[in-house]
Amino acid sequence: MSRVCELTGKKAMVGNNVSHAMNKTKRTFGANLLKKRFYIPEEDKWVTLRVAASTLKTINKVGISAVLKEAKAKGFYK
């Protein structure tokens, strides 16, 4: 399973490890993903999603319904 947020599409970024001598080697910065269950009152069901921590903060702020609606509009959620 790829490490991608199911609501925002956030995924790993690529960057460099930089040593004290300024040598650079490639590395990845993984997304901070959590598996979380959400209750959707409109559909009267529980859904398990793999979301980024920043997405979880957005869900707490605006609500799961609004975030799901936006994710469907952007094509991240079925």
Side-chain angles (χ1 to χ4, degrees):
M1 179 183 254
S2 63
R3 296 194 45 85
V4 177
C5 177
E6 294 178 354
L7 295 180
T8 59
K10 288 189 174 194
K11 54 187 176 183
M13 295 173 54
V14 178
N16 289 314
N17 276 329
V18 182
S19 70
H20 186 68
M22 290 299 198
N23 298 328
K24 294 171 181 68
T25 57
K26 285 292 185 186
R27 63 161 292 181
T28 59
F29 294 91
N32 187 7
L33 296 179
L34 308 164
K35 190 178 259 189
K36 183 84 173 140
R37 284 180 72 216
F38 297 100
Y39 179 72
I40 304 170
E42 291 81 18
E43 300 176 17
D44 191 37
K45 67 177 183 179
W46 287 89
V47 177
T48 302
L49 296 172
R50 201 167 181 195
V51 295
S54 57
T55 307
L56 200 55
K57 289 174 70 174
T58 305
I59 291 169
N60 288 335
K61 186 175 181 180
V62 299
I64 184 67
S65 301
V67 175
L68 278 174
K69 186 177 176 184
E70 186 177 335
K72 286 179 183 177
K74 291 185 177 180
F76 292 121
Y77 187 72
K78 41 187 164 11

